[in-house]
Amino acid sequence: MSRASDEYNYSSDLYSRLYIDAHLCRPECGDLGVIDSKTGKGIVYLAAFRGHWIAAVFLQSKGYEIITDEKCNQCGDKVKLVRNLSRLDIRKCKDCDENFKIESVSWSTHSFTVVDNQFVRDRYYYQCPTHYGPQDTSMIFV
């Protein structure tokens, strides 16, 4: 897999990109005790977006209803927002050997993309749009 973000100039504005937002606070505030390994902070909200539309919500602390909240509903401290923007890569289709572009976004050990308005794990996405078949849903959030 080669990084194509250097080769292709694509929009950096949030209305056209896939991205993941994480709202972080104290470790004890994290939903179900989930801690971000890089910062050591608790994750109170974790979701993927396509532009301004929510593609998937991974974690959301009980009572943390408004995704634009700047304050933690558990302790009242200001949350830290971490945003990971997508990157554009080129892959070779395992069925026809043609190259195709894929826009993916990563959080921790998970990497995702949106294909035909469906959220898929990009590590299992090695067929061009012509040959792509839907992924087993049990593999998406593993």
Side-chain angles (χ1 to χ4, degrees):
M1 176 171 54
S2 67
R3 296 255 343 230
S5 54
D6 296 332
E7 298 172 30
Y8 294 96
N9 183 14
Y10 68 113
S11 177
S12 63
D13 84 59
L14 294 180
Y15 292 109
S16 62
R17 297 281 295 274
L18 184 63
Y19 61 95
I20 291 179
D21 273 357
H23 297 201
L24 308 174
C25 195
R26 298 176 186 180
E28 59 271 16
C29 296
D31 185 51
L32 303 174
V34 178
I35 308 294
D36 176 39
S37 60
K38 285 185 181 177
T39 63
K41 293 185 173 283
I43 303 171
V44 295
Y45 184 77
L46 181 64
F49 293 81
R50 164 63 83 192
H52 58 281
W53 301 103
I54 296 175
V57 175
F58 303 114
L59 289 170
Q60 185 170 4
S61 290
K62 186 175 181 179
Y64 196 79
E65 299 297 333
I66 303 171
I67 62 172
T68 56
D69 276 353
E70 293 183 10
K71 298 227 182 267
C72 175
N73 68 313
Q74 307 292 319
C75 70
D77 283 354
K78 184 175 178 158
V79 296
K80 177 180 180 176
L81 173 67
V82 177
R83 175 169 288 149
N84 288 351
L85 287 172
S86 63
R87 70 174 197 250
L88 192 60
D89 290 318
I90 294 181
R91 294 201 175 161
K92 186 174 287 276
C93 178
K94 68 179 187 175
D95 291 334
C96 67
D97 277 344
E98 293 293 321
N99 289 333
F100 65 98
K101 292 184 228 174
I102 180 174
E103 181 185 7
S104 60
V105 65
S106 297
W107 176 265
S108 185
T109 59
H110 290 68
S111 189
F112 301 96
T113 193
V114 173
V115 176
D116 295 330
N117 292 322
Q118 290 186 311
F119 210 46
V120 298
R121 285 293 300 277
D122 87 335
R123 84 178 205 204
Y124 300 108
Y125 185 56
Y126 282 96
Q127 293 168 298
C128 68
T130 303
H131 294 106
Y132 170 74
Q135 288 181 4
D136 179 354
T137 54
S138 66
M139 301 305 290
I140 293 178
F141 297 108
V142 208

